[in-house]
Amino acid sequence: MSSKGLKSTKRKDNESSEKPDALKSKKPKLSPSNPTDKKHNPTIQNQKPGGGQHAKPKSFGNNDKSVTLSKKERRVQAKELTEARKKRRKPHYTLEQELATLWEKMRRRDIGKEDRLKLISEALQKMKGKMHEIAGSHVSSRVLQTCLKYCSQDEKEVVFKELHPHFLSLASNTYAVHVLQKMLDGASKQQLSSCISSLRGHVASLLRHMVGSVVVDHAYHLGNAAQKQELLGELYSTELQLFKDLNSTSEKRVVDIIAKLGLQKGSVIRHMTAIVQPILEKGIVDHNITHKLLIEYMTVADKTSAAFVIQQLSGPLLIRMVHTRDGSRLAMLCVKHGSAKERKKLIKAMKTEKESHVGSIASDQYGSMVLACIFSIVDDTKLVTKIIVRELEASLKDLVMGKNGRRPLLQLLHPNSSRYFSRDDLASLDLSVPSLCLMDKSETLSETKDSDGKESAEEEKDEQEGTVTEQSGLEENVTIAGSKKDPLLRRQELLVKSGLAERLIDVCVENAEEFLKSNSAKEVMYEVAVGGCDGILLPTLSENLRELYQAIASVAAEPKPEESEKSSQHILEDFHSSRTIRRLVLDSPTFASILFKKALSGKCRSWAQGHCSRILSAFLETQDVQVREMAKEELQVLVDEGALKITGTKKPE
C-alpha cells in the first residue's frame, strides 16, 4: 500500500475517534428516555439525581421522575423567578413593595386626614436614611411626592435635610426630578435659597439636560427677582458665574450689565453662544428661563448668530414657546426678521395632519399677539388664509367672546389701537433685533442710492437705532417693518377677500344681544358695525352691515320688562351694551337712523332714565345733522322738561 493511502486511512481513523468525544462534550440530557442507557453511559450513571452542573432545579423535577406542571403552576413559578431577580437587582425592592401598599391607601380621596397623616408618618419612617436612594425609583418616588404634598412642616424639614446634599445628582434623574419639584413647592424661603445656591456653577449644564432643565426652570419660577438674576447671570458671562457679588447689580438686561461692569462684548457673545447652541440643537426650549436667555441673546448677537437662532426656531420649536411673554416676543422677532421660507415653516407648523394649534394659540394671552403680528407682517396672504384664517372661522364665537381670542380679529379691524392693546402689547409688536435691523436698513439704503442717488431724512434717522427698541411714544399706529405689501391691501385680502369679515358679521347678527352685553365681545361688535378702521368693510359689505343694524335694532325694540319679570337686563339698560350702542349712534349715522325709527321713536320718554338716557342724549350730540334733526323733535321736549340731560362732551354746531 502506498504512503498516500496510509495517510488517508489514518485521517479517517482520527475523525472517527474524535466523533464520540464531541458527542460526550455536549450538554447531557436531564431525563433519559430509556433508563437502561445508564449502563452504557458512564456520565449519566455517575450523575446524582439532583446535582450536576447542568441539572434542572428541584422544582422542575429530578432525573428519576419527570413532572408535568399546569399552566397556573408555571405562571406562579415564573412570577417567583421574576421576584427573585428583582430582589437581586434592586436593593430596596421589599421596601418599595411595602411603600406601594401604603401609597394605595394614603392617596385615596375618601380617607380621613388623621389616617392619611399616620400612613405618611409610617412611610417616612420606613424611608428614613434611604430617601435619596429610593427617590429615583418609578414607584417610591410617587410615594415620596404624596408624602411631601400632605405631610407636616416638621416632616418636610426632615425630607429636605436628607435630600438636599444630593440635590444635583437627583436633578438629573427622570423620576427624582418630580420629587424635587414637590420639595421646592413646599420649601421655605431659606430652603429655596439654599437649593438655588446648590445650582450655582451648574445652571448651564443642567439647562442642556432634558430632565435637569425642569428643575432649574422650576427654581427660576419660584425665586424672587434677585434669585432669578443670579440664575441668569451664569448664562451671560464667565465673570458672573465665578463671582457671585457681581450678580447683585440692579441692571437686568445683558446690554446694561456689559456697560455697567465693563465686560468684553465678544467674550459675552461667545459664552452665551456656547450655551444657546446645544439647547437649540437638542430642542430644550419649553422653559421660561430659556426664553429669557434667548431674548437677551438676540440683543447682543451679531447678524450671523441671530440669523442662526431664527433659523433653528422657525418651525415646531417656536410653537412650544409662544405661551410665555419672552417666548411670544421671540416668535414675533422670527416673523419680523425671518425670510419668506422661515415664515412659511412657522405658519405651517401651526397646523399639522394630526392636530391644529391655531385655536389654542389664538386663545392664549401671549400667543394671540403672535397671530396679530403675522397678520401685520406676512405678505403671503394665501398661506395665512389657508392655515390660520380658516381655523379661526371655525370658532369665531368663542374667539369674539374671549379676552385673548379677540385680539387677532381686532388687529385686522383696527390695527395697533391703544384702546384694545396694552402698552406692553404695542411695545412687543415694535421689537427688533439690532444686528438684523442694521443689516436690513443698509440693504434698503443701498437700493435707494442705486435708484435715486439720495438718502431720505427718515432713513438717516432709522440708521441710528441700534438696540432692541420699544417705541416710547406708543402711538395708535405702530410702524412694523419686515413686509413689502401695502398694509391696507393686506388687511383687505385677509379680512374681506378671504370671507372672514362676512362670516364675522353673520356671527354678530346671530349673537347680537350676547355680544353687546359682553365686556370682551362688545369691542369686536363695535368695530364690525362701524366698518373697521379706514372703512375697510363698508364698500363691499354694506348690505351685510345693514342686516347687523337691523338685528341690533330688533333686540332694542323688545318691550321693557317689568320689575317682577326681570331675568336679565334689557339691551338698552345694560351697562356694557348701552355704552356700545351710544358709541355706534355717535359714529354711524346709518345705524342711528335705523335704531331710532325701529326701537325708540315714540318711546323716548319711557327710556329717559338710567343707562338708556346716555343713548338718547347721543342723538342730540352727534355730528350728523340728519340724525340730529330726526330725533330733536321728540327729545328736545324731554330736555326742556329736565327729564333728559345732555351729558356728552360733543355739542352740536
Side-chain angles (χ1 to χ4, degrees), residues 315-339:
L317 285 183
L318 210 55
I319 304 303
R320 293 156 49 188
M321 301 174 64
V322 296
H323 62 282
T324 67
R325 179 176 180 269
D326 293 317
S328 66
R329 292 191 167 201
L330 274 170
M332 285 185 266
L333 289 177
C334 291
V335 172
K336 190 171 187 177
H337 296 288
S339 63

Side-chain angles (χ1 to χ4, degrees), residues 557-621:
E558 293 179 359
K560 189 175 183 179
E562 299 293 336
E563 292 292 334
S564 58
E565 300 177 356
K566 275 192 176 181
S567 57
S568 63
Q569 286 186 318
H570 192 276
I571 192 175
L572 298 178
E573 293 181 322
D574 182 77
F575 178 84
H576 297 298
S577 59
S578 63
R579 277 151 178 77
T580 305
I581 293 173
R582 171 183 166 81
R583 290 176 64 197
L584 288 173
V585 170
L586 292 172
D587 298 334
S588 176
T590 306
F591 170 77
S593 301
I594 293 175
L595 177 67
F596 189 84
K597 292 177 181 178
K598 192 166 186 176
L600 296 175
S601 182
K603 307 175 185 176
C604 292
R605 186 174 294 277
S606 62
W607 292 108
Q609 303 296 325
H611 292 304
C612 186
S613 62
R614 298 176 63 88
I615 299 176
L616 297 180
S617 65
F619 283 95
L620 298 177
E621 298 165 15

Side-chain angles (χ1 to χ4, degrees), residues 351-366:
K351 183 180 179 181
T352 61
E353 294 181 358
K354 295 183 180 179
E355 59 180 337
S356 174
H357 305 281
V358 176
S360 59
I361 293 174
S363 302
D364 185 75
Q365 178 183 358
Y366 301 108

Side-chain angles (χ1 to χ4, degrees), residues 390-511:
R390 290 293 171 258
E391 290 295 319
L392 296 181
E393 286 180 346
S395 55
L396 270 182
K397 181 181 178 180
D398 295 334
L399 293 175
V400 172
M401 294 289 291
K403 179 181 178 181
N404 302 316
R406 63 182 184 147
R407 287 178 172 180
L409 301 174
L410 288 172
Q411 180 67 5
L412 289 173
L413 292 166
H414 196 151
N416 307 312
S417 172
S418 58
R419 183 182 182 91
Y420 309 130
F421 297 97
S422 65
R423 295 175 61 88
D424 188 64
D425 294 336
L426 294 176
S428 64
L429 288 173
D430 199 38
L431 284 176
S432 59
V433 179
S435 57
L436 297 178
C437 196
L438 290 173
M439 183 178 66
D440 295 340
K441 288 166 186 173
S442 63
E443 292 176 357
T444 305
L445 289 174
S446 62
E447 291 176 1
T448 308
K449 287 179 181 180
D450 293 339
S451 59
D452 300 332
K454 296 181 180 180
E455 296 182 11
S456 65
E458 293 180 355
E459 289 172 340
E460 290 178 356
K461 184 179 179 180
D462 292 342
E463 190 178 7
Q464 297 174 358
E465 298 178 0
T467 56
V468 173
T469 57
E470 294 186 4
Q471 186 175 353
S472 58
L474 293 179
E475 301 173 355
E476 287 199 2
N477 292 322
V478 179
T479 303
I480 300 179
S483 60
K484 299 179 181 178
K485 186 176 289 187
D486 180 64
L488 183 59
L489 176 61
R490 185 191 306 106
R491 287 175 58 209
Q492 286 176 341
E493 292 176 353
L494 292 174
L495 192 58
V496 181
K497 294 182 180 179
S498 67
L500 176 62
E502 186 175 358
R503 175 61 184 144
L504 184 59
I505 294 174
D506 293 340
V507 172
C508 290
V509 171
E510 295 169 4
N511 306 275

